[in-house]
Structures are given as C-alpha cells and as structure tokens.
Amino acid sequence: MKTLKLFGILAMSLAFATSAMADWDFDVSGQISAVDPAKKTITISGPGGQLTVTVLPYTEIKGDDCGPFGQDIYGTFRDLTVGKFVQIEAIPYGGYNAFNNSNANAINPQTGLPQNMQLTAKEIEWKCYPRAY
C-alpha cells in the first residue's frame, strides 16, 4: 500500500513538473524606441540591437509601483510611449514548443532568442519608481 501511495505522489509531481516546463517564453528588456499603433507593435532598443514585439489584445500591460500606495496599475497600449524602459515576457510569433525536434534550429544559441526575431508579448511591465533623474 505504501508503494502505491508513493507511486501516486511521484506520478502527480511528474505531471505538474511537465506542465510547468511547457510554458516556454523569453524575457527581454529595453527602451521603447518606436510605437506603431496601426500594427500594434513596439520596437525596443537594447544592448543587442532593436527588436519588434507584437502586442495582442490579451497582453497584460502594467506599471510596477505606480499607484498612490505603491500598488501595480494596469494600462493599455496607449501607455506604451517612446522612451519608456520596459521588461517584456514574450513568446515567439506563431508559438514555440521546446520539446518538438523540428524547432531545434528556431533558437539562436548565442542570444537565446528566436532566429526570426518575431516576438509576441504576454506581459509588458514598466517601473515607476525609483528613477535615476
């Protein structure tokens, strides 16, 4: 009976671990250098160059520590302005499955980002405080 319980616990933990690894995303940071309201894209500039990110209707856009008591505030596409430093949690355009062998060459090993550099934002966050000046 003990081995049956142990096997059940092991099987459940394996199922939860596999579902946690299935969320394959990228974290990128940079300063917004261009906003295209027609295409709903933003271009961010960072040490590695420029990167265009598509913003979808269900993308979570929020400001960290922006409220009157330091709470997060949720924004819209209009809040993404040129010059704002953002941290983006993104997925490759069209989806990506890390466990699929046909996607093995889709990631650039030097940057860790997709080869075609097309990303879709899951979450965009900017910090309100503290600021350097």
Side-chain angles (χ1 to χ4, degrees), residues 24-28 92 106-115 117 119:
W24 187 261
D25 57 11
F26 299 92
D27 293 329
V28 292
I107 301 298
N108 183 345
Q110 295 172 340
T111 62
L113 294 171
Q115 295 281 14
M117 298 304 282
L119 294 176

Side-chain angles (χ1 to χ4, degrees), residues 25-82:
D25 57 11
F26 299 92
D27 293 329
V28 292
S29 299
Q31 187 174 17
I32 297 176
S33 60
V35 178
D36 188 350
K39 293 182 181 177
K40 297 292 187 206
T41 60
I42 59 172
T43 302
I44 62 168
S45 298
Q50 292 191 340
L51 181 67
T52 301
V53 180
T54 303
V55 180
L56 298 177
Y58 57 83
T59 299
E60 183 178 348
I61 301 172
K62 66 180 181 174
D64 189 30
D65 296 333
C66 296
F69 300 107
Q71 74 269 24
D72 293 349
I73 61 168
Y74 291 93
T76 62
F77 187 78
R78 285 180 275 147
D79 295 320
L80 303 174
T81 56
V82 174

Side-chain angles (χ1 to χ4, degrees), residues 10 15 23 29 33 37 41 54 70 73 76-77 80 83 92-93 96-97 102 104 114 116 118 128 133:
L10 181 64
D23 187 27
S29 299
S33 60
T41 60
T54 303
I73 61 168
T76 62
F77 187 78
L80 303 174
Y93 178 75
Y96 175 75
N97 182 358
S102 66
N116 61 7
Q118 294 180 348
C128 291
Y133 53 88

Side-chain angles (χ1 to χ4, degrees), residues 91-104:
I91 55 173
Y93 178 75
Y96 175 75
N97 182 358
F99 304 107
N100 188 351
N101 291 334
S102 66
N103 288 327

